[in-house]
Amino acid sequence: MQLPPGPKTPSWLIGLQFEANPFGYMDVISKRYGDIVTLMLGSTPIVYVSNPSGIKDIFTNTKEIAARGDLNRDFALMTGKQGVLQLDGICHKNRRKLLMQTFHGARMQACGRRICELTEKIISKQTVGKPFVAYPTIEDITLKVGIEVVMGLDKGERHDKIKHLFITALRYGQSAIDKILLNIFGERDLGRWSPYGYRLYLRQQLFQLLLTEVEERRQQLNFSQTDMLADLILAEDETGQPLSNEEVRDLLLSPIFAAGDASGTAIAWALYWIHRLPTVRSRLLEELDSLGDNPDPMNIFALPYLNAVCNEVLRIYPTQLFAFPRLVESTVEVMGYKLNPGTVLIANIYSTHQREDLYPEPKEFQPERFLEKQFSPYEFLPFGGGSRVCIGATFALFEMKLILATILSRYELELVSQRPERPKYGGLICYPASGVKMVTHGLRQHQEQSQILAFDLI
Ligand code: HEM
């Protein structure tokens, strides 16, 4: 059986080329080899697919292709052995269902106002005229929202410590020096001052704090509490048994990491694109202003142009370039290639979103394409698909829209530099390399007010 074509370069060199320029490298590979490409990892073929019909097979053929949890073991250190990423089969299905209960309409509506308040509080701290880096500022909001929605913790010493540990864990390994040290020392625990030892230390601290919170909450059950932790404490597994405290803790980890990191990154990229393109910003402001002062979060969520802008941000620079890997369990045909058991399949989100036939002028930021055309879930897939599709997709879009609407309608912001922002790959997510440097010029006047002022001046 012949594998799809691909580079013969050693995997360590591919890793370096990809890290140096992730989007550029994927563009070169797609151009040279097409929309189904094999990269060898030792003796394991990893097949990347950026063709909608191939992606449909990966997400829907559950007979021959499995979304196995052990393929995600690299993430287990920080997201727990019993976290949703590590699970598969019935157990995975059950835990996903439990986690998704949190995001029902009434609860989302209730936390909408809170998201706007938190955004206002954090952005108002920026000094007028003094540059700030958008990504960590936004991450501060998204992590706070994540911890609140997931654990119901809104303040206090434990909340601050948990947030700090999540941020440290997310940042660790991103800088060049961390990467060099991790390469030299590998996964050897040489104490807290060695790279792997430090990650183990962070993990131990974070896991202990979360476990204490779970234990306390179970002991003082409060039925009026409405968060993911409360749902999980009362939940039953597929055999009708309650979940253990360790299981509950592990299930909380991925959603908090994702809520802070993936959402924060997407919003930072959105701020970059919106402020780079004045026509996009002014059309967005016109739409936001049409809702008047203090709009209902649900009305913000329904705005068509804001929706198109968020989709275009997630198309052009999807925060997660690839879906999680799937495994061929019995011989299967994908796009004319017969693939053997043991082959790993990856839906390549980035390269699908760069297809000229789906998205003409794919390097151009054009939100209008989402107003003119409806894309299938195999053509536009920022949240993956199939049995592992992102559990927080609707919530992430809700949060993204509310944070952007609050910032844009209230504040006059500008990019510090007009230089294009480079993407930087950090484990799973593609961050803006400089973090998007911005400056605030203070409060913004609504368009009608600005028009009256302009009229007065004539
Ligand atoms: C813009 C923000 C986000 C993006 C772009 C994003 C993207 C993704 C993608 C691509 C996947 C993999 C799906 C697959 O393999 O098919 C995923 C999985 C996941 N996401 Fe998100 N995500 C975001 C926000 C969130 C939020 C806010 C949460 C929770 C509150 C969340 C929780 C998860 C979890 C738990 C999984 C694993 C699901 C499983 O293994 O069954 N994500 N996400």
Side-chain angles (χ1 to χ4, degrees):
M1 280 179 228
Q2 205 193 353
L3 282 165
K8 301 284 169 265
T9 331
S11 52
W12 63 267
L13 188 54
I14 292 180
L16 284 181
Q17 289 169 320
F18 178 77
E19 288 243 348
N21 181 2
F23 296 151
Y25 184 72
M26 295 314 293
D27 289 343
V28 169
I29 291 283
S30 301
K31 205 165 167 199
R32 193 167 300 159
Y33 302 103
D35 52 12
I36 178 159
V37 181
T38 307
L39 299 182
M40 294 302 293
L41 188 67
S43 57
T44 308
I46 319 274
V47 177
Y48 289 79
V49 179
S50 52
N51 174 298
S53 93
I55 288 175
K56 186 173 179 190
D57 287 340
I58 297 180
F59 287 157
T60 57
N61 179 345
T62 48
K63 217 170 117 218
E64 278 120 1
I65 302 169
R68 288 257 296 264
D70 56 3
L71 294 171
N72 302 326
R73 58 183 165 266
D74 282 358
F75 303 110
L77 183 69
M78 293 317 279
T79 58
K81 288 200 181 86
Q82 302 178 86
V84 73
L85 278 180
Q86 314 303 320
L87 303 175
D88 43 41
I90 297 216
C91 183
H92 174 240
K93 217 169 164 181
N94 166 277
R95 301 304 189 276
R96 277 181 62 91
K97 205 167 132 205
L98 299 179
L99 291 174
M100 284 167 77
Q101 288 169 7
T102 294
F103 301 114
H104 61 72
R107 210 177 274 174
M108 293 244 295
Q109 194 152 12
C111 73
R113 289 260 171 239
R114 184 73 187 128
I115 295 175
C116 298
E117 276 166 26
L118 265 175
T119 308
E120 173 69 48
K121 197 170 152 198
I122 290 175
I123 299 295
S124 66
K125 283 189 197 146
Q126 301 307 322
T127 314
V128 174
K130 190 171 164 218
F132 69 99
V133 185
Y135 172 58
T137 312
I138 301 296
E139 194 188 39
D140 198 16
I141 304 171
T142 50
L143 255 182
K144 274 203 168 95
V145 172
I147 295 172
E148 248 183 65
V149 171
V150 173
M151 303 188 65
L153 277 181
D154 62 348
K155 46 180 147 351
E157 201 187 331
R158 192 173 295 153
H159 168 276
D160 292 346
K161 275 192 184 158
I162 290 177
K163 186 162 83 71
H164 174 73
L165 283 164
F166 268 107
I167 291 183
T168 316
L170 284 169
R171 298 267 182 283
Y172 194 72
Q174 278 184 29
S175 73
I177 186 84
D178 288 348
K179 282 181 185 161
I180 293 169
L181 288 173
L182 279 166
N183 268 331
I184 297 173
F185 291 102
E187 291 195 355
R188 268 175 295 163
D189 178 12
L190 303 172
R192 203 178 137 180
W193 306 109
S194 66
Y196 189 66
Y198 185 60
R199 290 188 76 199
L200 290 177
Y201 163 78
L202 284 178
R203 172 190 208 266
Q204 191 270 332
Q205 298 278 307
L206 182 60
F207 279 31
Q208 189 51 52
L209 272 177
L210 292 180
L211 192 62
T212 310
E213 178 67 22
V214 179
E215 284 164 355
E216 282 181 14
R217 284 279 290 275
R218 203 190 284 276
Q219 278 157 16
Q220 306 150 13
L221 261 189
N222 174 353
F223 290 95
S224 66
Q225 252 167 330
T226 56
D227 48 64
M228 194 180 268
L229 173 53
D231 291 344
L232 292 174
I233 284 175
L234 294 174
E236 289 177 350
D237 70 10
E238 58 289 356
T239 64
Q241 294 301 310
L243 306 178
S244 71
N245 288 343
E246 286 75 11
E247 272 177 300
V248 172
R249 175 204 55 203
D250 285 8
L251 287 169
L252 300 175
L253 284 155
S254 313
I256 303 182
F257 269 117
D261 205 24
S263 300
T265 310
I267 298 165
W269 278 122
L271 285 173
Y272 165 73
W273 283 110
I274 293 166
H275 290 88
R276 208 173 150 72
L277 302 167
T279 48
V280 172
R281 181 171 177 268
S282 59
R283 185 163 174 192
L284 204 46
L285 285 175
E286 204 178 303
E287 190 183 63
L288 289 169
D289 288 346
S290 72
L291 293 180
D293 285 336
N294 284 324
D296 184 310
M298 286 302 168
N299 291 342
I300 297 177
F301 187 58
L303 288 174
Y305 190 65
L306 177 60
N307 186 57
V309 169
C310 292
N311 282 347
E312 183 66 348
V313 169
L314 293 168
R315 177 198 71 81
I316 197 160
Y317 287 175
T319 41
Q320 210 172 305
L321 302 196
F322 314 108
F324 291 118
R326 277 36 174 198
L327 188 73
V328 176
E329 291 204 313
S330 41
T331 305
V332 66
E333 192 173 314
V334 176
M335 292 173 61
Y337 290 94
K338 274 211 165 103
L339 302 175
N340 277 334
T343 305
V344 173
L345 279 164
I346 294 186
N348 180 344
I349 301 175
Y350 169 75
S351 301
T352 309
H353 289 182
Q354 289 294 317
R355 290 180 69 102
E356 289 262 5
D357 57 345
L358 296 175
Y359 305 100
E361 301 180 333
K363 301 281 173 222
E364 299 298 315
F365 188 87
Q366 292 172 359
E368 288 71 19
R369 49 176 118 239
F370 284 94
L371 297 173
E372 289 154 8
K373 193 178 157 191
Q374 183 88 26
F375 295 92
S376 85
Y378 313 113
E379 294 171 339
F380 179 59
L381 56 148
F383 297 104
S387 63
R388 277 199 192 275
V389 68
C390 177
I391 62 156
T394 310
F395 178 74
L397 276 173
F398 181 65
E399 186 186 28
M400 192 174 174
K401 291 176 187 180
L402 295 191
I403 293 178
L404 287 173
T406 309
I407 297 178
L408 291 167
S409 49
R410 303 269 302 138
Y411 294 91
E412 202 75 57
L413 296 181
E414 198 186 5
L415 291 173
V416 168
S417 157
Q418 276 306 313
R419 275 218 306 272
E421 180 76 41
R422 271 187 324 104
K424 182 171 135 198
Y425 195 66
L428 180 66
I429 293 210
C430 243
Y431 304 87
S434 85
V436 184
K437 291 199 186 97
M438 304 197 81
V439 62
T440 167
H441 298 299
L443 285 175
R444 176 184 163 258
Q445 288 170 325
H446 267 201
Q447 253 172 14
E448 309 96 86
Q449 287 166 325
S450 332
Q451 274 160 11
I452 295 167
L453 279 176
F455 189 71
D456 284 345
L457 289 173
I458 294 172

